[in-house]
Amino acid sequence: MAEQTPICNFGWKAPSFSLPGVDGKTYSLADLRGKNGTLVVFICNHCPYVKAVVDRIVRDANELKACGINTVAISSNDAEHYPEDSFDNMKRFAKAHGFTFPYLYDESQEVARRYDAVCTPDFFGFNGKLELQYRGRLDASRREAGPADARRELFEAMKQVAETGTGPREQTASMGCSIKWKAA
């Protein structure tokens, strides 16, 4: 079922976390914080919305690094009921798509809950003070990649954040598969 992210809550502070990465290291938000901003992206391996744009996410993360923006991807899905999202499959997914940023596993789903993540992909763009400035979409892609010349909304917004500390007031919500929550 497709979900949409809520409107950006400008200034909301990024919750801290400490999670294992597919590279065998454990990362905290403090470790990953970029000089001019941090992009936290909730994704998973099986979602068609993520599959449609994962290479664009990698492209944008690589280009944003030059602007002082660090990126981290987090998977919070219930891997017991969605085995394609298992930690071992996360390793394969990151390698297959050439991730140049940490891909972390939120097995307890605590981080996704603290961020109020709702779908994959769900983008949280923070400025250098870890204040939320972007909660929009990557571009016009949905279950299929948008046109090659689609406006790079996330990239443009995060570049603005790097330069000014603030994100654009006009943002289009991201859409994707719902987070696969564990049964209570």
Side-chain angles (χ1 to χ4, degrees), residues 45 67 69 84 111 118 144 149 157 169:
N45 308 332
C67 300
I69 303 280
E84 193 175 338
V111 175
V118 296
E144 295 82 30
D149 64 347
R169 294 294 158 192

Side-chain angles (χ1 to χ4, degrees), residues 22 54-62 90-103:
V22 298
V54 66
D55 295 326
R56 292 177 185 202
I57 292 171
V58 172
R59 173 202 65 195
D60 287 357
N62 290 339
M90 287 173 59
K91 292 177 186 178
R92 287 189 271 283
F93 190 81
K95 184 175 183 176
H97 293 285
F99 282 21
T100 55
F101 47 85
Y103 189 18

Side-chain angles (χ1 to χ4, degrees), residues 42 76 106 108-117 181-182 184:
F42 287 85
S76 300
D106 177 24
S108 72
Q109 301 184 317
E110 178 183 326
V111 175
R113 290 188 190 287
R114 287 197 317 225
Y115 275 74
D116 199 23
W181 301 106
K182 295 177 181 182

